[in-house]
């Protein structure tokens, strides 16, 4: 039955690609691609591990119908935006210049200080294991799978890490948007900052932040290309081939860093990905639908998990601390996993109606935002959209669009926009006079 789903997803991909602008990175089109990738990895896992699984029609129908509904919404939104006029951002709005060397040096010092603090917290929570990999393993388990508040990172450190993630986006934008006018020194500084940001993300005990920033980096490049060409144009075969190489490099990096974050397995890369990340979710979703856990009395326990934690921290909700990770189940060949696709979250919290309603709303909002960003072509729109893109692309995995309904995301957006105004658009500049240690704020229009 999994082969029936494979054929249906291939058909949906061609429908979405042909009628939603022939754009591989349109949200609903790339979502079909990622579900298709997951389906192929599932087949590979069952074949390579000699672990066949008999799917139920309910699971095949749920995935195909929900993805199909998303494709239909994406096509309708694209066709609607063809007929409406949106004025592109003006040159005055996009008057930008490269991040200064002094600012980059200060940013590097800040990120290095954050990394040192992270290492201290890893030692405190993970203990003094014989190797760094074992220490990271202990840290990740305590930090992610425990309700012990002592295993949590300090509030201020979490804010620093969030700021580092924001700096990754700003420096990625700076490098991609202004690459032709950057000096060699500026390019090297940018790459060094990006490398430090990735290191900080890995020290969080997982690689999800690194993967999401890589996805954001990709859509950033895509939208900046549209901005430069004043509209979307189809990619050449050579560019598509380069994109495939880029995806393979990201997946190879993901696999290569498994020991760094404390994942103790020596599987080959393809077996590793298909066994734990991009293969078992359909099997687990089928098992969940046949044997769901007891319902919760917490409204939107998983779908709105981050918002619930925000409200609990603020004292607005009085509920006990709970782990947001889903239950582990066997998928065959001695492998246990807890990856279910986003449909499991929606179904557990709100049933079948929730699957179609919530996924439909997410498809509508992400498609509207994407088509608007393509026509508006403004830097702010591009930056903000790059922050939300991964939440829909990773629906095949378990990420949820509704993590955007949180105070954390609002802070993230505000941080990105402030950094953009200060470091790239330079709305405020300090001019130092040689005659004394004085500074004045100079309006951007008079410089």
């Amino acid at each position: 039955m999994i082969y029936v789903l494979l054929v249906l997803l291939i058909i949906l991909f061609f429908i979405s690609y042909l009628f939603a602008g022939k754009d591989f990175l349109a949200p609903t089109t790339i979502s079909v691609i990622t579900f298709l990738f997951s389906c192929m990895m599932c087949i590979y896992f069952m074949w390579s591990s000699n672990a066949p699984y008999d799917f139920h029609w309910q699971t095949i129908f749920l995935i195909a119908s929900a993805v199909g509904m998303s494709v239909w919404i994406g096509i309708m939104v694209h066709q609607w935006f063809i007929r409406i006029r949106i004025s592109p951002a003006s040159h005055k709005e996009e008057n930008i210049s490269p991040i200064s060397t002094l600012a980059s040096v200060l940013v590097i010092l800040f990120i290095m200080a954050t990394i040192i603090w992270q290492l201290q917290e890893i030692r405190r929570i993970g203990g003094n294991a014989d190797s760094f990999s074992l220490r990271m393993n202990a840290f990740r388990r305590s930090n992610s799978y425990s309700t012990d508040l002592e295993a949590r990172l300090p509030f201020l450190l979490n804010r620093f890490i969030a700021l580092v993630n924001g700096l990754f986006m700003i420096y990625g934008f700076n490098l991609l948007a202004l690459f032709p006018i950057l000096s060699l020194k500026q390019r090297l500084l940018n790459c060094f900052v990006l490398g430090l940001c990735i290191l900080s993300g890995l020290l969080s005990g997982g690689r999800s932040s690194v993967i999401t920033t890589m996805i954001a980096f990709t859509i950033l490049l895509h939208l900046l290309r549209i901005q430069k060409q004043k509209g979307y144009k189809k990619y050449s075969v050579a560019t598509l081939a380069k994109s495939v190489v880029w995806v393979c490099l990201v997946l190879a990096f993901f696999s290569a860093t498994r020991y760094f974050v404390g994942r103790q397995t020596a599987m080959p890369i393809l077996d590793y990905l298909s066994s734990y990340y991009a293969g078992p979710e359909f099997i687990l979703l089928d098992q969940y639908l046949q044997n769901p856990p007891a319902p919760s009395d917490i409204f939107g326990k998983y779908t709105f998990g981050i918002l619930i934690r925000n409200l609990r921290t603020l004292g607005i909700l009085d509920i006990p601390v709970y782990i947001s990770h889903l239950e582990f189940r066997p998928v065959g060949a001695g492998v246990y996993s807890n990856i279910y696709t986003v449909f499991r979250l929606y179904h557990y919290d709100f049933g079948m109606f929730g699957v179609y309603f919530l996924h439909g709303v997410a498809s509508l909002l992400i498609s509207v935002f994407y088509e608007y960003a393509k026509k508006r072509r403004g830097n702010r729109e591009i930056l903000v959209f790059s922050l939300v893109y991964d939440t829909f692309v990773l629906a095949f995995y378990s990420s949820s669009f509704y993590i955007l309904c949180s105070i954390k995301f609002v802070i993230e957006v505000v941080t990105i926009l402030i950094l953009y105004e200060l470091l790239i658009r330079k709305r405020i500049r300090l001019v130092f006079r040689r005659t004394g240690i004085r500074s004045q704020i100079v309006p951007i229009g008079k410089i």
Side-chain angles (χ1 to χ4, degrees), residues 319-336:
I319 59 174
V321 178
Y322 64 89
I323 299 173
S324 58
H325 290 280
L326 306 178
E327 68 278 0
F328 282 85
R329 296 177 190 258
V331 293
V335 175
Y336 284 76

Side-chain angles (χ1 to χ4, degrees), residues 107-148:
V107 164
I108 288 172
L109 293 175
F110 167 75
I111 299 175
M112 291 179 69
T114 302
I115 289 173
I116 292 172
W117 193 358
Q118 286 180 270
L119 290 171
Q120 292 175 342
E121 289 299 312
I122 289 171
R123 178 181 292 273
R124 177 183 67 84
I125 298 172
N128 296 315
D130 294 335
S131 68
F132 182 77
S133 179
L134 291 175
R135 187 181 304 165
M136 283 296 296
N137 182 275
F139 164 75
R140 178 176 55 81
R141 289 182 178 276
S142 297
N143 185 253
S144 301
Y145 295 97
S146 170
T147 57
D148 183 6

